[in-house]
Amino acid sequence: MTLATIITNSDLSALLDSAFQQETPVVTSSESDLGEPLEHFANPADILAKAADCAKAGIHNYAFGFWYPSMKGQVVKRKVTLDPPRDGKTFRYSLGGWGIIHLHLYFTPPNTLQCRVVVNSEARAISREDRYPELGAASEWDWRVVESYAFRLSRRLAAMGRAVPVAQQSSSVTQKPTPAAAPRSPWKRS
């Protein structure tokens, strides 16, 4: 079971401010919209604006990837081919890198969201290197720095609220949701 912390928009703002305190990260979307490039976010305000746009559009979840230069390592933009095409689009991009810190947001209207911090451990990365050679060697990353940033963000997030199972999109057994009522998640793969 995946757990996330229930937070408010002001909590998210404080969490993002703390993510930019010691060093300015490079922040992108973890996955792009269909047929679009990865989005880049220069500061906490840009990330908050994207989160607000997602909530307003009825998107269930969205994730950002954080890479700090002191973490070293190789960051990769991967093109994912959609076969068959979806909504007339044939590709999307995803962000890859052994030590990338992902901030997942799950929108739970009206005034809260669920948030979690996700990152590989060094041991997990090393055990999967052979499967994903395009990500380079896990040893290129400074794992002390990766763990330090991930721990700091996770600890800050944990202090903001209570952990709950990640909200799943509701689906009624007797009635199928309409596309307007249940928008497609940008995370589903074909």
Side-chain angles (χ1 to χ4, degrees), residues 49-62 64 107 186:
K50 180 63 179 183
D53 289 347
C54 289
K56 185 177 179 181
I59 293 173
H60 179 254
N61 59 303
Y62 196 85
F64 301 90
F107 302 99

Side-chain angles (χ1 to χ4, degrees), residues 23-185:
E23 179 180 8
T24 301
V26 175
V27 183
T28 65
S29 49
S30 290
E31 282 195 347
S32 72
D33 290 334
L34 298 176
E36 299 294 327
L38 292 171
E39 289 186 63
H40 295 268
F41 306 92
N43 54 52
D46 290 349
I47 298 169
L48 288 170
K50 180 63 179 183
D53 289 347
C54 289
K56 185 177 179 181
I59 293 173
H60 179 254
N61 59 303
Y62 196 85
F64 301 90
F66 287 71
W67 175 78
Y68 294 87
S70 63
M71 294 186 335
K72 301 178 183 168
Q74 181 177 332
V75 178
V76 177
K77 178 176 78 172
R78 297 185 280 194
K79 187 172 185 177
V80 178
T81 301
L82 303 173
D83 185 18
R86 211 166 67 218
D87 299 334
K89 308 293 183 180
T90 59
F91 71 93
R92 75 166 359 131
Y93 290 99
S94 70
L95 181 68
W98 293 120
I100 298 292
I101 299 170
H102 297 275
L103 182 68
H104 291 251
L105 303 179
Y106 303 89
F107 302 99
T108 52
N111 298 317
T112 62
L113 55 121
Q114 294 182 14
C115 182
R116 69 186 181 118
V117 174
V118 179
V119 65
N120 280 317
S121 67
E122 181 178 13
R124 185 174 195 270
I126 290 170
S127 73
R128 294 170 180 243
E129 275 180 323
D130 292 342
R131 278 200 226 160
Y132 304 102
E134 72 275 13
L135 297 181
S139 61
E140 294 176 0
W141 291 82
D142 186 333
W143 288 98
R144 285 184 339 191
V145 175
V146 172
E147 291 167 5
S148 173
Y149 276 115
F151 178 74
R152 199 176 53 135
L153 288 172
S154 295
R155 191 177 79 213
R156 177 77 187 233
L157 178 61
M160 293 179 165
R162 72 188 200 307
V164 296
V166 170
Q168 301 298 318
Q169 283 180 297
S170 62
S171 62
S172 172
V173 174
T174 58
Q175 179 182 3
K176 292 184 178 181
T178 63
R184 291 180 75 157
S185 167

